[in-house]
């Protein structure tokens, strides 16, 4: 699956930052996963960055490992981990440029690379960039490449990461080294009877238990206070997708309090809370507004019942923020239903050669005026509007 996946890389949201000439030089292109991974791997070797292994991580690994058909599993992004040994923070800073250098090889021949800076290319193709360097702690960086279809490619270069998972169901990692060596050494096509063996690990610690949780759709984690953001957003995401807590009711209450406390410690003001939630909605739900609405309702309940670390006005601000987002999403859900209803009625009328001017006019005014909200007008949907309330 990973070997044959193709991805359109571009962040069209950011093209307004370029001059007219640069816009003509930024292009949409396709890369094959296997090819891009091999190029990044080669760039790391050229720059004397020691590579331990390459892994598939996150929801894609869970999708491959679990019973995806029975449990209706899906994945939002392609998460790849390059385990590396970094000697200095300068090597960490260099990793983003190495990824951009790999992308340059996919640009068309007519592109004038002399007129494109690394900053311009980063703004065009990199939607998220995270760098963490602590001499005695975590050392890693994340480069997220935008996909025009919404499924982004995340390249994470990790030297040290204390906490490698949020919940047991997203703790799986598939080591790709044997697959990469197979393609390097053999030109033969893989088949059901001829393929390399790959290793799957669970950084949760117990592979069988984690797989059981995944296939039974159970929520289980350890020490959520160690997770940045407490795992709160992911926890409510799992609830909205039909997962249930594996532990007792009293343990669930403690778990939710710990998650809420860590979330509001890491995101202590309304602006940072909004930006984090806005990013999560965009990256994990796309245009699935009914599921997004259910998610926000779950989040609202958990924050309302389990937040004990905030002052009264801070708690009300957080609840108001989630409520406003839920309101706008609900408006969009109603708008979509109205559009589908209009489409059904028009199709039915055309088939029967009938037209009801009163009914059709009422539908138009009611559906298109009262529900005039559009997702790109909302403060949480369009990345270009992330600082607008």
């Amino acid at each position: 699956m990973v070997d044959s996946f193709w991805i359109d890389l571009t962040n069209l949201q950011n093209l307004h930052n370029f001059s007219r000439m640069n816009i003509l030089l930024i292009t949409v292109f396709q890369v094959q996963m296997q090819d891009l991974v091999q190029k990044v791997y080669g760039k790391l070797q050229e720059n004397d960055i020691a590579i331990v292994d390459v892994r598939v991580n996150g929801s894609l690994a869970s999708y491959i490992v679990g019973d995806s058909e029975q449990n209706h599993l899906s994945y939002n992004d392609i998460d790849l981990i390059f385990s590396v040994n970094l000697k200095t923070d300068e090597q960490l800073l260099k990793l983003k440029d190495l990824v951009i250098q790999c992308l340059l090889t996919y640009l068309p021949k007519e592109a004038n690379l002399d007129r494109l800076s690394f900053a311009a290319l980063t703004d065009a193709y990199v939607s998220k960039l995270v760098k963490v360097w602590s001499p005695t702690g975590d050392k890693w960086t994340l480069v997220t490449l935008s996909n025009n279809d919404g499924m982004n490619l995340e390249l994470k270069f990790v030297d040290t990461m204390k906490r490698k998972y949020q919940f047991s169901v997203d703790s799986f990692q598939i080591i790709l080294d044997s697959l990469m060596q197979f393609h390097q050494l053999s030109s033969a096509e893989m088949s059901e009877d001829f393929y390399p063996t790959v290793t799957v690990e669970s950084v949760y610690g117990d592979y069988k238990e984690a797989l059981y949780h995944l296939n039974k759709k159970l929520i289980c984690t350890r020490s959520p206070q160690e997770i940045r953001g407490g795992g709160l957003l992911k926890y409510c995401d799992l609830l909205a997708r039909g997962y249930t807590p594996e532990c007792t009711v009293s343990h669930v209450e403690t778990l939710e309090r710990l998650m809420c406390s860590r979330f509001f410690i890491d995101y202590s003001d309304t602006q940072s809370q909004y930006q984090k939630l806005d990013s999560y909605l965009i990256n994990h739900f796309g245009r699935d507004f009914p599921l997004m609405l259910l998610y926000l309702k779950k989040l609202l309940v958990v924050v309302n019942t389990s937040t004990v670390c905030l002052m009264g006005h801070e708690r009300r601000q957080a609840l108001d923020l989630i409520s406003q987002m839920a309101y706008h999403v609900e408006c969009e859900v109603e708008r979509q239903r109205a559009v589908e209803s209009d489409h059904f009625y028009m199709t039915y009328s055309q088939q029967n050669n009938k037209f009801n001017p009163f009914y059709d006019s009422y539908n138009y005014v009611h559906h298109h005026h009262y529900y005039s909200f559009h997702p790109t007008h909302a403060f949480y949907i369009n990345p270009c509007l992330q600082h607008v309330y």
Side-chain angles (χ1 to χ4, degrees), residues 16-177:
H16 66 283
N17 294 331
F18 299 109
S19 66
R20 184 175 182 83
M21 182 60 68
N22 278 341
I23 288 177
L24 297 177
L25 296 176
I26 300 296
T27 182
V28 179
F29 55 84
Q30 289 184 321
V31 300
Q32 193 174 20
M33 284 290 298
Q34 172 197 335
D35 187 53
L36 179 61
V37 171
Q38 294 283 10
K39 287 185 177 181
V40 173
Y41 196 96
K43 281 292 181 182
L44 293 173
Q45 291 179 322
E46 290 176 12
N47 288 268
D48 296 325
I49 298 177
I51 308 164
V52 179
D53 55 40
V54 182
R55 303 176 177 225
V56 175
N57 184 50
S59 58
L60 176 56
S62 299
Y63 177 85
I64 295 172
V65 171
D67 191 345
S68 55
E69 293 185 1
Q70 179 179 345
N71 294 325
H72 305 288
L73 298 176
S74 61
Y75 55 96
N76 304 298
D77 299 315
I78 309 299
D79 301 327
L80 296 178
I81 294 179
F82 290 81
S83 300
V84 294
N85 292 325
L86 300 175
K87 300 176 182 177
T88 64
D89 58 343
E90 294 180 356
Q91 288 185 322
L92 184 75
L93 297 173
K94 187 187 296 185
L95 292 170
K96 181 260 297 180
D97 292 340
L98 298 183
V99 174
I100 295 298
Q101 289 174 16
C102 294
L103 295 183
L104 289 176
T105 62
Y106 296 100
L107 291 176
K109 296 180 180 179
E110 58 270 17
N112 188 350
L113 301 182
D114 295 334
R115 306 185 65 173
L116 287 174
S117 65
F118 267 80
L121 289 167
T122 300
D123 203 12
Y125 296 115
V126 177
S127 63
K128 185 177 181 181
L129 183 61
V130 180
K131 300 174 184 176
V132 177
W133 179 274
S134 173
T136 58
D138 289 354
K139 303 181 184 69
W140 58 271
T141 187
L142 170 67
V143 181
T144 300
L145 303 178
S146 302
N147 179 14
N148 217 20
D149 294 330
M151 186 178 295
N152 297 329
L153 175 60
E154 296 193 345
L155 305 176
K156 186 176 288 184
F157 302 89
V158 179
D159 179 290
T160 307
M161 180 179 288
K162 182 179 179 181
R163 182 69 182 224
K164 299 180 180 180
Y165 72 98
Q166 295 189 65
F167 297 89
S168 60
V169 295
D170 61 19
S171 66
F172 298 100
Q173 295 184 353
I174 304 173
I175 303 174
L176 298 179
D177 291 57

Side-chain angles (χ1 to χ4, degrees), residues 369-385:
H369 175 71
Y370 185 77
Y371 296 116
S372 59
F373 167 82
H374 188 272
T376 57
H377 300 157
F379 63 89
Y380 60 91
I381 293 295
N382 191 337
C384 298
L385 304 177

Side-chain angles (χ1 to χ4, degrees), residues 27 91 109 143-144 170 178 183 226-227 232 244 246 279 293 319 322 336 387:
T27 182
Q91 288 185 322
K109 296 180 180 179
V143 181
T144 300
D170 61 19
S178 60
H183 288 293
E226 295 178 356
I227 310 171
L232 175 64
T244 56
E246 181 262 352
S279 174
L293 178 60
L319 293 173
I322 302 170
Q336 288 184 346
H387 299 291

Side-chain angles (χ1 to χ4, degrees), residues 74-77 149-152 232-242 276-299 329 336 380-381:
S74 61
Y75 55 96
N76 304 298
D77 299 315
D149 294 330
M151 186 178 295
N152 297 329
L232 175 64
L233 301 187
K234 177 68 175 181
Y235 172 74
C236 295
D237 190 345
L238 293 173
L239 291 177
R241 297 178 191 273
K276 179 61 179 178
L277 184 52
D278 168 68
S279 174
Y280 195 91
L281 293 175
I282 293 172
N283 293 328
H284 293 82
F285 295 95
R287 296 186 62 83
D288 190 346
F289 294 105
L291 182 60
M292 189 187 298
L293 178 60
L294 178 60
Y295 166 76
L296 289 171
K297 288 181 177 180
K298 297 286 187 183
L299 179 61
V329 174
Q336 288 184 346
Y380 60 91
I381 293 295

